[in-house]
């Protein structure tokens, strides 16, 4: 099975509710995408300040229904990539959900920064300048491209390292089957 670790940076324009990055809001677009294969070294990126084509991204990433797609809060990314399509979703591994299970259901809604500190090391936590841009109201497509892409690449690299550590931990604890069934349940709710 091929494994792809991915992260998307999107616009945050939804005027309804508090989730302004909502993938169901047709006005929101993918601005930047980053992905890497499990054994690859370099993160591949795509960027377009007008929005990236979801179907083309899925093809470029090499994602099929047999691929294991890994991410932090992966449902968010997959809801963007598969909106407007009837394609079958790939297998998933959400590092946030895996952290919840591996912690005996104690680690609720772990952020990527928290998981990076726990599994990779504090020195690998990404620069928070991008979050400050968003907090100040700057649109994603107006954030300097090089900064946004580096932020995303760091997210992908950290997610890959977290996944590898979690997978090993799950095998050692004998809970890999449990985690995989919970990931299949997550995939089912994403499809719904």
């Amino acid at each position: 099975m091929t494994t792809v670790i991915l992260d998307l940076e999107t616009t945050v324009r939804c005027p309804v509710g508090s989730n302004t990055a909502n993938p169901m809001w047709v006005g929101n677009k993918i601005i930047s995408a980053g992905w890497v294969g499990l054994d690859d070294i370099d993160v591949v990126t795509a960027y377009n300040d007008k929005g990236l084509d979801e179907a083309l991204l899925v093809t470029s990433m090499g994602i099929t229904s047999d691929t294991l797609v890994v991410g932090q809060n992966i449902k968010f990314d997959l809801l963007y990539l598969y909106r407007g399509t009837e394609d079958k979703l790939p297998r998933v591994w959400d590092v946030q959900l895996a952290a919840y299970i591996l912690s005996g259901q104690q680690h609720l809604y772990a952020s990527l920064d928290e998981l990076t500190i726990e599994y990779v090391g504090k020195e690998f936590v990404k620069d928070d300048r991008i979050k400050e841009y968003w907090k100040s109201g700057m649109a994603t497509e107006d954030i300097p491209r090089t900064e946004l892409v580096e932020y995303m690449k760091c997210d992908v690299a950290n997610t890959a390292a977290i996944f590898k550590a979690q997978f090993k931990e799950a095998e050692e604890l004998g809970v890999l089957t449990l985690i995989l069934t919970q990931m299949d349940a997550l995939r089912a709710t994403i499809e719904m």
Side-chain angles (χ1 to χ4, degrees), residues 92-112:
V92 299
W93 183 287
D94 187 323
V95 296
Q96 187 179 54
L97 176 56
Y100 174 71
I101 295 167
L102 289 167
S103 70
Q105 302 173 339
Q106 298 303 303
H107 210 354
L108 304 173
Y109 308 110
S111 71
L112 187 57

Side-chain angles (χ1 to χ4, degrees), residues 28-55:
N28 278 335
K29 308 271 185 247
I30 301 169
I31 299 300
S32 186
W35 65 94
V36 68
L38 188 58
D39 298 319
D40 296 338
I41 296 170
D42 295 323
V43 175
V44 178
T45 62
Y47 178 92
N48 186 328
D49 62 359
K50 304 294 184 220
L52 293 165
D53 180 272
E54 295 96 353

Side-chain angles (χ1 to χ4, degrees), residues 14-25:
C14 181
V16 180
S18 60
N19 181 10
T20 56
N22 190 330
M24 298 303 161
W25 185 258

Side-chain angles (χ1 to χ4, degrees), residues 114-129:
E114 291 171 326
L115 295 178
T116 298
I117 292 167
E118 181 178 339
Y119 286 99
V120 188
K122 187 173 183 161
E123 65 274 17
F124 293 97
V125 173
K126 66 186 175 277
D127 183 347
D128 274 347
R129 273 181 292 171

